[in-house]
Amino acid sequence: AQSVTQLGSHVSVSEGALVLLRCNYSSSVPPYLFWYVQYPNQGLQLLLKYTTGATLVKGINGFEAEFKKSETSFHLTKPSAHMSDAAEYFCAVSLGDSSYKLIFGSGTRLLVRP
Amino acid sequence: GAGVSQSPSNKVTEKGKDVELRCDPISGHTALYWYRQRLGQGLEFLIYFQGNSAPDKSGLPSDRFSAERTGESVSTLTIQRTQQEDSAVYLCASSARTGKEQFFGPGTRLTVL
């Protein structure tokens, strides 16, 4: 069975500091991995995804994530936090291109201090 | 173009009442998904439609939950005899076809008193 674990329900950083949101997964087959962002009272927006190929994936708003198979991780990073990055971030896994089901982590709320 | 829309945005109901939640997917998207997001938790998969058939209903929590889809358009999630534990945000998503990027609607916040 697949599962996703996001370490830290809340992460607080200062504006301009590095953002690191952790995601570990378990999957019996090569996974597809996703990061979504949810702003207050809005739906989820795809930040980036890993399917196959290059393990460092760049997304929107300056975010990137690296797929590390040996560590079963897909951590999300951004070199310099902006106030507008404050939101909830969800990591998700699916069974690949034919899969319809996304398995989500419990989310990490990012707080950005001025 | 228009994204996924859901209505109502908020619904407050009394325990035991039935509710209907509506999802309008992106035009032309053949796949449609319903998820539930309880407070402080991630999204739970409920059901998936390909066209108007639902190959996987395994995520529906109980037989009080049902969903239908008209053609490759609107979907309705119905919860009968609502219970307080049904309180959550119900999110709908659609994709051009199965396995492609899912685009999410803003959700319906359901509160059962």
Side-chain angles (χ1 to χ4, degrees):
Chain A
Q2 295 172 296
S3 66
V4 177
T5 301
Q6 291 183 242
L7 292 177
S9 59
H10 291 79
V11 169
S12 181
V13 301
S14 298
E15 191 174 18
L18 172 71
V19 175
L20 171 60
L21 304 182
R22 298 179 185 275
C23 173
N24 288 87
Y25 69 91
S26 68
S27 177
S28 56
V29 298
Y32 282 16
L33 295 158
F34 307 81
W35 275 100
Y36 284 85
V37 60
Q38 186 178 34
Y39 297 103
N41 300 314
Q42 295 186 28
L44 276 70
Q45 180 182 6
L46 182 66
L47 272 179
L48 49 79
K49 64 180 179 182
Y50 168 79
T51 55
T52 58
T55 56
L56 182 61
V57 180
K58 295 185 184 299
I60 62 172
N61 301 338
F63 285 93
E64 62 183 38
E66 186 171 10
F67 169 58
K68 291 187 177 181
K69 184 178 179 181
S70 61
E71 298 178 7
T72 60
S73 70
F74 191 58
H75 302 330
L76 181 70
T77 61
K78 182 175 180 178
S80 176
H82 294 171
M83 296 298 292
S84 60
D85 294 328
E88 187 140 23
Y89 292 79
F90 293 93
C91 182
V93 63
S94 76
L95 280 175
D97 191 48
S98 62
S99 176
Y100 51 83
K101 187 184 300 186
L102 290 172
I103 307 298
F104 284 86
S106 56
T108 297
R109 184 167 297 279
L110 177 65
L111 307 172
V112 182
R113 304 185 302 271
Chain B
V4 178
S5 60
Q6 293 185 246
S7 61
S9 55
N10 281 283
K11 176 72 176 178
V12 180
T13 190
E14 294 179 348
K15 178 181 173 180
K17 300 284 189 182
D18 298 351
V19 295
E20 283 190 355
L21 311 180
R22 177 187 169 109
C23 172
D24 284 86
I26 293 172
S27 178
H29 280 193
T30 62
L32 185 146
Y33 317 79
W34 282 98
Y35 294 86
R36 178 171 72 176
Q37 184 179 22
R38 288 174 161 163
L39 186 65
Q41 299 183 26
L43 281 71
E44 306 169 67
F45 168 83
L46 297 180
I47 188 170
Y48 148 71
F49 286 91
Q50 177 56 48
N52 62 2
S53 67
D56 186 353
K57 305 178 183 180
S58 63
L60 295 177
S62 74
D63 59 7
R64 296 187 294 105
F65 287 71
S66 63
E68 63 178 24
R69 187 179 184 196
T70 306
E72 293 184 352
S73 184
V74 173
S75 175
T76 303
L77 177 68
T78 301
I79 309 173
Q80 296 179 308
R81 305 181 303 282
T82 52
Q83 303 294 313
Q84 289 183 334
E85 62 263 29
D86 299 334
S87 296
V89 176
Y90 290 84
L91 287 156
C92 174
S94 69
S95 65
R97 62 176 178 84
T98 301
K100 293 304 181 186
E101 179 183 346
Q102 296 184 24
F103 293 84
F104 284 81
T108 294
R109 182 175 299 278
L110 174 66
T111 303
V112 182
L113 301 176

